[in-house]
Amino acid sequence: MPTSPRKLLPLLPNHSSNRSPMTCLYRCGDACFHEVPNASAGAYLGDIIAAGLSRRSLLKVGAVVAVAGAGAAALGAQPASAAPNRAARGLAFTPVAPNSEHAVTVPEGYTSKVLVRWGDPLFSDAPEFDPENQTAAGQARQFGYNNDHLDLFEIRRDEHVMVINHEYTNEEIMFPGYDPAAPTQEQVEIAWAAHGLTVVGVTGAARGRPSGELTTVVDHRLNRRLTATTEFRLSGPVVGSDYVKTAADPRGRDVLGTLNNCAGGITPWNTWLTAEENFNQYFANADAVTDPVVRERLRRYGLGGGASQRKWEAYDSRFDLGQEPNEVNRFGWIVEVDPFDPESTPRKRTALGRFKHEAANVHLGQHNHVVAYMGDDERFDYLYKFVSRDQFRRNDPEHNDTLLDNGTLYVARFTGNSPAEEIDGSGTLPSDGAFDGAGEWIPLVTSDERGATSHVEGMTGIEVLVFTRQAGDAVQATKMDRPEDVETNPLTGVLYVALTNNSNRGTGTNPGPDETNPRSTNRHGHVIELLETGNDPLALAFGWRIFLLCGDPNDPSTYFAGYDKSQVSPISCPDNVTFDPYGNLWISTDGNALGTNDGLFGVAVDGEYRGQVKQFLTVPTSAETCGPKVTETRVLVCVQHPGEASGASFENQFSHWPDGGTSVPRPSVVVAWRPDGIRIGR
Ligand code: FEO
Ligand code: CA
Ligand code: CA
């Protein structure tokens, strides 16, 4: 890939991670620079004991989990040291070195290509990409901006439908002559069309041959764009409630668009879940709201102030809280999409609660009940799960379409098993050798055809669903270090929770370290292993322990599951996670606070190489690695926000990736594989 001839712009003044201030502004609405929205009285071990749950009983739960056959075995033994040139099955590659290249780098013996870029036509009637002359109509038929989550559904051998969401736009580097104070209507409408989702057919380039290469199919029968103006439908108990009725939709059911979609997952019935995350930043004029109860609800979700960053309220009053106070309540949901039916209306599943959803990953529990695990990506917010009332039925799509409307939403409360004085914020392991303990799932609300039944004193069931964060506060859920993606190891049932970072932990009046979030000023994040009691996703208690404390392995506060730290790749800010076919965990990073590029890492979770983190790929400087999908023959990632550096503009781009020359940077999906046909990591 070509290297930019330009002088590099400063990347990170006063930022605790390597994320550009521009990314903070456009992606999250500067979430980390506002006050922590969770001002609730905390959830500390002392409070929980005071609430009547004895430490002894909590420890007992943990002990049961730890010694349960599934527990001890599945949570894995500490590794013996291993030769540096050996690795777990599926991870035998030479790690990529940390770097600051304007390029995607992959291990020796691998190759990669851009599969699809912002602006690529998905239909033959779409215009070729021309950044000087984009139109909203053209953008709605082209691949959107800032691809984040991706997944593949198999149609037949080496023909897939690929789903990708487009989290947000960065108008300053997208549009010539952009004036942030006064965007034009066309620019705003292009941004609406560049948000949302893409469904696109992809085929193996070498059918019948063992190649990982892929190609997108223009005009594939399943190709589809969904944008900020496509019709979506609310589903579940919140439909028709006063909190979601608007002037344009007095029935409180039909919503235009989906915004700020982050990660997601595939259901056992072959639909796609995608998560609305930092939706708050699109809504203006929270200051115009005078009702103190409504104001507090808005504040808890990070809404405040006057004009929005993108000024959409100038062209559609639904983004103006002063004019339409309920539109904001129609965002912040998990969205379910049927990628096999281009005519279907996607559902916003209200029974799964409303917060800054990072993702939802569905697993089958005993008797085929469905369990969805979900993180709320904000400092000091919570981890949730939804358990369906009904059971999944193979080959009954009509029934399965109701599974996420009926069931119970829970929030997690963690307890450590080491004395509080041993958790000093430094990352030093307590005397029992592990940051570990027990936990319980606290029921918040049960949804069914008749409505929503609250389990939280002082809130109705509908209020719990629409203002879920406040329900978590009320039951003293555990305040986590930004819970991001959550995935279950399909081979063992152990759940992996990525906590990306929390530089506010232990600062000022913010909550201090606890055994689950044990580092003060946690800049590099950590990964927790969680095992439900009896290895049953329906259980209401679990055991947990920390798998990785990320950072530079030379930093004494890091921990790599006990593996030899001289034999691991540095890793910072774990975000999206996935598993390969061998049960190895793959982690993509967002905002590498070590100062080098973000990347994708594989790590064994069991056996002698448990904890051996190996970097597989890096993305260009200023970009983030998202999406990851790892199969036997290919690795796919989304390269999000290339060129998003402070001070960059359309006229003064920081990056020209991937097209080189003087081109605009284009968020893209990249596929990597071995041209010799050997499988990934073998
Ligand atoms: Fe869109 Fe939590 O990252
Ligand atoms: Ca412990
Ligand atoms: Ca993410």
Side-chain angles (χ1 to χ4, degrees), residues 51 116 134 147 157 162 170 193 211 227 238 246 278 344 361 368 375 428 436 521-522 525 606 682:
V116 59
Q134 277 290 86
N147 33 225
R157 188 180 151 79
M162 182 167 70
N170 185 328
S211 170
T227 73
V238 172
T246 64
N278 291 291
S344 58
N361 286 291
N368 279 346
T428 304
D436 62 348
T521 323
N522 180 7
D606 287 306
R682 300 297 299 274

mmCIF file of all heavy atoms in Angstrom, residues 51 116 134 147 157 162 170 193 211 227 238 246 278 344 361 368 375 428 436 521-522 525 606 682:
data_model
loop_
_atom_site.group_PDB
_atom_site.id
_atom_site.type_symbol
_atom_site.label_atom_id
_atom_site.label_comp_id
_atom_site.label_asym_id
_atom_site.label_seq_id
_atom_site.Cartn_x
_atom_site.Cartn_y
_atom_site.Cartn_z
ATOM 1 N N ALA A 51 -26.934 -5.319 51.615
ATOM 2 C CA ALA A 51 -28.251 -5.575 51.043
ATOM 3 C C ALA A 51 -28.760 -6.971 51.405
ATOM 4 O O ALA A 51 -29.831 -7.369 50.982
ATOM 5 C CB ALA A 51 -28.197 -5.415 49.535
ATOM 6 N N VAL A 116 -14.473 -4.494 -0.260
ATOM 7 C CA VAL A 116 -15.461 -3.470 -0.647
ATOM 8 C C VAL A 116 -15.147 -2.200 0.143
ATOM 9 O O VAL A 116 -14.708 -2.273 1.300
ATOM 10 C CB VAL A 116 -16.910 -3.984 -0.428
ATOM 11 C CG1 VAL A 116 -17.168 -4.359 1.022
ATOM 12 C CG2 VAL A 116 -17.957 -2.988 -0.914
ATOM 13 N N GLN A 134 -20.703 13.458 -4.759
ATOM 14 C CA GLN A 134 -21.612 12.471 -4.175
ATOM 15 C C GLN A 134 -23.041 13.024 -4.157
ATOM 16 O O GLN A 134 -23.256 14.231 -3.993
ATOM 17 C CB GLN A 134 -21.202 12.162 -2.739
ATOM 18 C CG GLN A 134 -20.092 11.134 -2.580
ATOM 19 C CD GLN A 134 -20.520 9.729 -2.935
ATOM 20 O OE1 GLN A 134 -20.469 9.357 -4.115
ATOM 21 N NE2 GLN A 134 -20.928 8.951 -1.966
ATOM 22 N N ASN A 147 -17.691 1.199 8.052
ATOM 23 C CA ASN A 147 -18.087 -0.190 8.318
ATOM 24 C C ASN A 147 -17.548 -0.632 9.679
ATOM 25 O O ASN A 147 -16.405 -0.377 10.023
ATOM 26 C CB ASN A 147 -17.566 -1.112 7.212
ATOM 27 C CG ASN A 147 -16.228 -0.653 6.625
ATOM 28 O OD1 ASN A 147 -16.035 -0.647 5.422
ATOM 29 N ND2 ASN A 147 -15.298 -0.239 7.480
ATOM 30 N N ARG A 157 -21.950 -23.527 -1.025
ATOM 31 C CA ARG A 157 -20.497 -23.627 -0.898
ATOM 32 C C ARG A 157 -19.807 -22.411 -1.520
ATOM 33 O O ARG A 157 -19.928 -22.155 -2.715
ATOM 34 C CB ARG A 157 -20.004 -24.902 -1.583
ATOM 35 C CG ARG A 157 -18.554 -25.178 -1.345
ATOM 36 C CD ARG A 157 -18.146 -26.469 -2.061
ATOM 37 N NE ARG A 157 -16.742 -26.421 -2.432
ATOM 38 C CZ ARG A 157 -15.755 -26.643 -1.585
ATOM 39 N NH1 ARG A 157 -16.020 -26.925 -0.333
ATOM 40 N NH2 ARG A 157 -14.500 -26.572 -1.989
ATOM 41 N N MET A 162 -22.989 -11.297 2.905
ATOM 42 C CA MET A 162 -22.202 -10.593 3.925
ATOM 43 C C MET A 162 -23.036 -9.419 4.436
ATOM 44 O O MET A 162 -23.639 -8.688 3.642
ATOM 45 C CB MET A 162 -20.885 -10.083 3.314
ATOM 46 C CG MET A 162 -19.983 -9.382 4.316
ATOM 47 S SD MET A 162 -18.298 -9.106 3.703
ATOM 48 C CE MET A 162 -18.545 -7.853 2.459
ATOM 49 N N ASN A 170 -17.947 10.776 9.001
ATOM 50 C CA ASN A 170 -17.061 11.891 9.356
ATOM 51 C C ASN A 170 -17.099 12.890 8.201
ATOM 52 O O ASN A 170 -16.345 12.783 7.229
ATOM 53 C CB ASN A 170 -15.633 11.413 9.621
ATOM 54 C CG ASN A 170 -14.764 12.557 10.117
ATOM 55 O OD1 ASN A 170 -14.964 13.720 9.739
ATOM 56 N ND2 ASN A 170 -13.806 12.246 10.949
ATOM 57 N N ALA A 193 -27.692 8.589 4.222
ATOM 58 C CA ALA A 193 -27.595 7.414 3.339
ATOM 59 C C ALA A 193 -26.310 6.620 3.583
ATOM 60 O O ALA A 193 -26.227 5.440 3.225
ATOM 61 C CB ALA A 193 -27.670 7.860 1.879
ATOM 62 N N SER A 211 -8.966 -21.401 -1.876
ATOM 63 C CA SER A 211 -8.493 -20.037 -1.713
ATOM 64 C C SER A 211 -9.428 -19.292 -0.791
ATOM 65 O O SER A 211 -10.627 -19.530 -0.778
ATOM 66 C CB SER A 211 -8.444 -19.326 -3.061
ATOM 67 O OG SER A 211 -8.210 -17.939 -2.848
ATOM 68 N N THR A 227 -30.733 2.571 5.574
ATOM 69 C CA THR A 227 -30.091 3.829 5.931
ATOM 70 C C THR A 227 -30.805 4.489 7.113
ATOM 71 O O THR A 227 -31.687 3.889 7.736
ATOM 72 C CB THR A 227 -30.103 4.799 4.729
ATOM 73 O OG1 THR A 227 -31.445 5.284 4.570
ATOM 74 C CG2 THR A 227 -29.636 4.112 3.448
ATOM 75 N N VAL A 238 -42.761 -2.384 24.057
ATOM 76 C CA VAL A 238 -42.702 -0.921 24.003
ATOM 77 C C VAL A 238 -43.558 -0.354 22.863
ATOM 78 O O VAL A 238 -43.926 0.823 22.876
ATOM 79 C CB VAL A 238 -41.219 -0.457 23.906
ATOM 80 C CG1 VAL A 238 -41.120 1.033 23.647
ATOM 81 C CG2 VAL A 238 -40.482 -0.823 25.191
ATOM 82 N N THR A 246 -44.671 9.655 18.359
ATOM 83 C CA THR A 246 -44.198 10.947 17.862
ATOM 84 C C THR A 246 -45.262 11.546 16.949
ATOM 85 O O THR A 246 -46.219 10.857 16.569
ATOM 86 C CB THR A 246 -42.895 10.781 17.055
ATOM 87 O OG1 THR A 246 -43.168 9.992 15.892
ATOM 88 C CG2 THR A 246 -41.791 10.123 17.876
ATOM 89 N N ASN A 278 -23.951 4.753 20.124
ATOM 90 C CA ASN A 278 -23.940 6.146 20.605
ATOM 91 C C ASN A 278 -24.971 7.005 19.865
ATOM 92 O O ASN A 278 -24.632 8.011 19.236
ATOM 93 C CB ASN A 278 -22.538 6.717 20.462
ATOM 94 C CG ASN A 278 -21.565 6.074 21.432
ATOM 95 O OD1 ASN A 278 -21.654 6.276 22.634
ATOM 96 N ND2 ASN A 278 -20.666 5.264 20.906
ATOM 97 N N SER A 344 -38.018 -7.581 3.713
ATOM 98 C CA SER A 344 -38.460 -7.617 5.108
ATOM 99 C C SER A 344 -38.187 -6.288 5.807
ATOM 100 O O SER A 344 -37.248 -5.569 5.467
ATOM 101 C CB SER A 344 -37.748 -8.751 5.855
ATOM 102 O OG SER A 344 -36.343 -8.566 5.783
ATOM 103 N N ASN A 361 -25.050 -11.234 21.148
ATOM 104 C CA ASN A 361 -24.690 -12.553 20.635
ATOM 105 C C ASN A 361 -25.582 -13.590 21.275
ATOM 106 O O ASN A 361 -25.698 -13.655 22.496
ATOM 107 C CB ASN A 361 -23.213 -12.842 20.921
ATOM 108 C CG ASN A 361 -22.325 -12.046 19.993
ATOM 109 O OD1 ASN A 361 -22.279 -12.303 18.801
ATOM 110 N ND2 ASN A 361 -21.650 -11.049 20.536
ATOM 111 N N ASN A 368 -33.128 -25.533 24.308
ATOM 112 C CA ASN A 368 -33.214 -24.592 23.178
ATOM 113 C C ASN A 368 -33.818 -23.245 23.530
ATOM 114 O O ASN A 368 -34.350 -22.554 22.650
ATOM 115 C CB ASN A 368 -33.960 -25.208 21.986
ATOM 116 C CG ASN A 368 -33.049 -26.111 21.177
ATOM 117 O OD1 ASN A 368 -31.828 -26.076 21.355
ATOM 118 N ND2 ASN A 368 -33.630 -26.897 20.301
ATOM 119 N N GLY A 375 -23.345 -5.949 26.047
ATOM 120 C CA GLY A 375 -22.632 -4.946 26.826
ATOM 121 C C GLY A 375 -23.165 -3.554 26.535
ATOM 122 O O GLY A 375 -23.644 -3.274 25.425
ATOM 123 N N THR A 428 -1.628 -5.871 40.442
ATOM 124 C CA THR A 428 -0.929 -6.975 41.100
ATOM 125 C C THR A 428 -1.943 -8.039 41.509
ATOM 126 O O THR A 428 -2.964 -7.723 42.136
ATOM 127 C CB THR A 428 -0.192 -6.459 42.358
ATOM 128 O OG1 THR A 428 0.662 -5.408 41.954
ATOM 129 C CG2 THR A 428 0.596 -7.572 43.021
ATOM 130 N N ASP A 436 -10.803 -13.079 40.483
ATOM 131 C CA ASP A 436 -11.872 -14.016 40.161
ATOM 132 C C ASP A 436 -12.962 -13.946 41.216
ATOM 133 O O ASP A 436 -12.832 -13.232 42.210
ATOM 134 C CB ASP A 436 -11.324 -15.443 40.033
ATOM 135 C CG ASP A 436 -10.693 -15.958 41.333
ATOM 136 O OD1 ASP A 436 -10.468 -15.140 42.253
ATOM 137 O OD2 ASP A 436 -10.423 -17.158 41.416
ATOM 138 N N THR A 521 -7.230 3.842 36.570
ATOM 139 C CA THR A 521 -6.845 4.483 35.302
ATOM 140 C C THR A 521 -6.559 3.398 34.263
ATOM 141 O O THR A 521 -5.475 3.321 33.692
ATOM 142 C CB THR A 521 -5.602 5.386 35.486
ATOM 143 O OG1 THR A 521 -5.681 6.017 36.755
ATOM 144 C CG2 THR A 521 -5.556 6.457 34.420
ATOM 145 N N ASN A 522 -7.574 2.592 34.011
ATOM 146 C CA ASN A 522 -7.406 1.416 33.147
ATOM 147 C C ASN A 522 -7.352 1.856 31.682
ATOM 148 O O ASN A 522 -8.376 1.989 31.027
ATOM 149 C CB ASN A 522 -8.569 0.451 33.402
ATOM 150 C CG ASN A 522 -8.482 -0.814 32.558
ATOM 151 O OD1 ASN A 522 -7.484 -1.050 31.871
ATOM 152 N ND2 ASN A 522 -9.536 -1.619 32.608
ATOM 153 N N GLY A 525 -7.535 -1.792 29.107
ATOM 154 C CA GLY A 525 -8.652 -2.714 29.088
ATOM 155 C C GLY A 525 -8.289 -4.126 29.515
ATOM 156 O O GLY A 525 -7.128 -4.444 29.774
ATOM 157 N N ASP A 606 -7.249 -22.315 25.919
ATOM 158 C CA ASP A 606 -7.061 -23.574 26.632
ATOM 159 C C ASP A 606 -5.717 -24.183 26.255
ATOM 160 O O ASP A 606 -5.128 -23.803 25.248
ATOM 161 C CB ASP A 606 -8.181 -24.572 26.259
ATOM 162 C CG ASP A 606 -9.494 -24.180 26.901
ATOM 163 O OD1 ASP A 606 -9.517 -24.003 28.122
ATOM 164 O OD2 ASP A 606 -10.479 -24.039 26.162
ATOM 165 N N ARG A 682 -2.276 -22.671 10.179
ATOM 166 C CA ARG A 682 -1.886 -24.093 10.198
ATOM 167 C C ARG A 682 -0.514 -24.279 9.583
ATOM 168 O O ARG A 682 -0.015 -23.440 8.885
ATOM 169 C CB ARG A 682 -2.917 -24.929 9.414
ATOM 170 C CG ARG A 682 -4.310 -24.839 9.984
ATOM 171 C CD ARG A 682 -4.407 -25.390 11.404
ATOM 172 N NE ARG A 682 -4.041 -26.796 11.446
ATOM 173 C CZ ARG A 682 -4.902 -27.807 11.206
ATOM 174 N NH1 ARG A 682 -6.169 -27.542 10.934
ATOM 175 N NH2 ARG A 682 -4.511 -29.060 11.279
#
